[in-house]
Amino acid sequence: AIWSFTVVADVRKILFLMELMFFRTPLVDSYRDMLERNDKDRTMRLMGLTRSVKWVLFFVMFLPRLAIDIVLIWLGCRWLVATASFGDVLLNAMALEFLLLLKDLFYTAVVPHRDKL
C-alpha cells in the first residue's frame, strides 16, 4: 500500500506540473512572444508557450513519466506481493523507491543551479 501511495504522489506531482504548463501558462502565437528579455538585470521571463511547444513538452516530458509510473506501480506491486519474507519486502520497496527517485537524483546532479526551478 505504501508503494502505491508513493507512485500516486508522483503521479499527482506530474499532473500538477501539467496543469501549470498547459492551463496556467498563457498561450502565445509565436516563438518571439514566449520570452521577455530584461537587459538591465540580464534576465529572461517566460511570458507564455506556443501550442507546439506545449505538445512537445507533453510527449517528451509528461507522457513518458506517466507511462513509467503506471508500469512501476503494476510491476512493483506484483514484485512486492511475490516477495516471501518481510525483510525482503522492505528491501524491495526501498529498491523501487530508488527507481522512482532516480530522475530527481539526475536532475540534482546534472542541471546547474542557475537553471533549476
Side-chain angles (χ1 to χ4, degrees), residues 3 23 30 35 61 64 73 79 91 94 116:
W3 168 244
F23 299 116
S30 72
L35 295 173
M61 192 168 88
I73 197 167
W79 190 35
L91 188 63
M94 287 176 35
K116 292 181 183 175

Side-chain angles (χ1 to χ4, degrees), residues 73-114:
I73 197 167
W74 174 253
L75 293 177
C77 286
R78 288 184 60 179
W79 190 35
L80 290 175
V81 167
T83 304
S85 69
F86 184 70
D88 289 340
V89 168
L90 290 176
L91 188 63
N92 290 343
M94 287 176 35
L96 288 169
E97 179 76 18
F98 175 76
L99 288 176
L100 195 61
L101 297 177
L102 197 58
K103 65 184 177 323
D104 298 329
L105 177 65
F106 282 133
Y107 179 77
T108 304
V110 174
V111 176
H113 183 68
R114 71 175 190 280

Side-chain angles (χ1 to χ4, degrees), residues 21-22 25-35 46-58:
M21 191 68 61
F22 294 112
T25 304
L27 188 65
V28 294
D29 295 326
S30 72
Y31 291 106
R32 282 195 187 123
D33 299 334
M34 284 176 44
L35 295 173
L46 181 68
M47 301 305 292
L49 296 172
T50 62
R51 190 176 313 276
S52 61
V53 170
K54 287 184 178 188
W55 280 107
V56 166
L57 286 173
F58 175 75

Side-chain angles (χ1 to χ4, degrees), residues 36-44:
E36 180 182 83
R37 188 177 194 161
N38 188 349
D39 291 328
K40 189 172 99 174
D41 56 358
R42 299 177 60 197
T43 60
M44 297 184 91

Side-chain angles (χ1 to χ4, degrees), residues 6 20 34 117:
T6 304
L20 287 178
M34 284 176 44
L117 295 176

